[in-house]
Amino acid sequence: MISLTDSQKIGMGLTGFGVFFLFFGMILFFDKALLAIGNILFVAGLAFVIGLERTFRFFFQKHKLKATSFFLGGVFVVLIGWPIIGVVLEIYGFFLLFRGFFPVVVGFIRRIPILGSILNLPFISACSGKMFSPSCPPGGEKGVGVFPWQLYMDKVTEGNTMV
């Protein structure tokens, strides 16, 4: 069992409410007030869960500046009143920010009894294998567009375990 501090528990609640408000705002035809509340709660919850310093380090890494600008730009566009354009920008930024986590998430979902059997269907397996497979990264050169854990595994196989 993972033990959480009180601030991490608060962060999980804020993040959960943020996702709920974002989902509910999209269901209610992109209600800008609900989307704005959801965005603020999600970002605040993320800061509570992983800490303020680690949140800034995550968002403002040099290779993630494009993704961060799209995500935070989408939040800003929603806040000023253009919800559909803002959500599109946010979704694009979200996928750019968290694309390194998707293979882990897909691997975890494949181990869940009902969802795993759905993901292992031939067509879905082929699509998810191409999109999230560690064997075909989004870039061709070493280190360009490669998932972070692949760089770690390359260093481990070379004998250099210090990252």
Side-chain angles (χ1 to χ4, degrees):
M1 183 81 179
I2 300 173
S3 63
L4 298 173
T5 64
D6 288 340
S7 64
Q8 287 176 328
K9 290 176 186 176
I10 292 169
M12 293 295 288
L14 288 174
T15 304
F17 278 117
V19 170
F20 170 75
F21 277 107
L22 285 170
F23 180 71
F24 201 57
M26 282 191 253
I27 286 179
L28 292 176
F29 302 113
F30 293 94
D31 182 50
K32 56 186 163 187
L34 290 175
L35 291 172
I37 291 170
N39 283 326
I40 292 168
L41 289 175
F42 179 78
V43 173
L46 188 64
F48 268 93
V49 170
I50 64 174
L52 199 56
E53 180 184 346
R54 291 172 79 189
T55 302
F56 281 116
R57 273 193 280 149
F58 175 76
F59 278 109
F60 296 108
Q61 293 175 9
K62 194 172 187 175
H63 65 280
K64 290 186 179 180
L65 285 178
K66 176 182 171 185
T68 300
S69 63
F70 272 103
F71 183 75
L72 295 179
V75 171
F76 179 73
V77 169
V78 167
L79 289 176
I80 63 171
W82 295 339
I84 296 174
I85 296 169
V87 168
V88 169
L89 291 173
E90 281 180 42
I91 290 172
Y92 180 66
F94 182 82
F95 281 118
L96 288 179
L97 276 172
F98 296 103
R99 68 178 168 202
F101 297 115
F102 290 137
V104 176
V105 171
V106 169
F108 176 75
I109 291 175
R110 284 183 188 221
R111 293 186 180 149
I112 297 174
I114 295 171
L115 297 175
S117 60
I118 293 171
L119 273 181
N120 287 329
L121 292 173
F123 177 73
I124 297 174
S125 177
C127 290
S128 67
K130 286 183 180 178
M131 290 172 53
F132 305 119
S133 173
S135 62
C136 58
E141 301 173 33
K142 183 174 182 175
V144 177
V146 179
F147 299 119
W149 56 271
Q150 286 177 312
L151 294 174
Y152 174 76
M153 291 306 294
D154 289 342
K155 290 185 182 211
V156 169
T157 55
E158 290 174 5
N160 182 6
T161 57
M162 299 299 289
V163 176

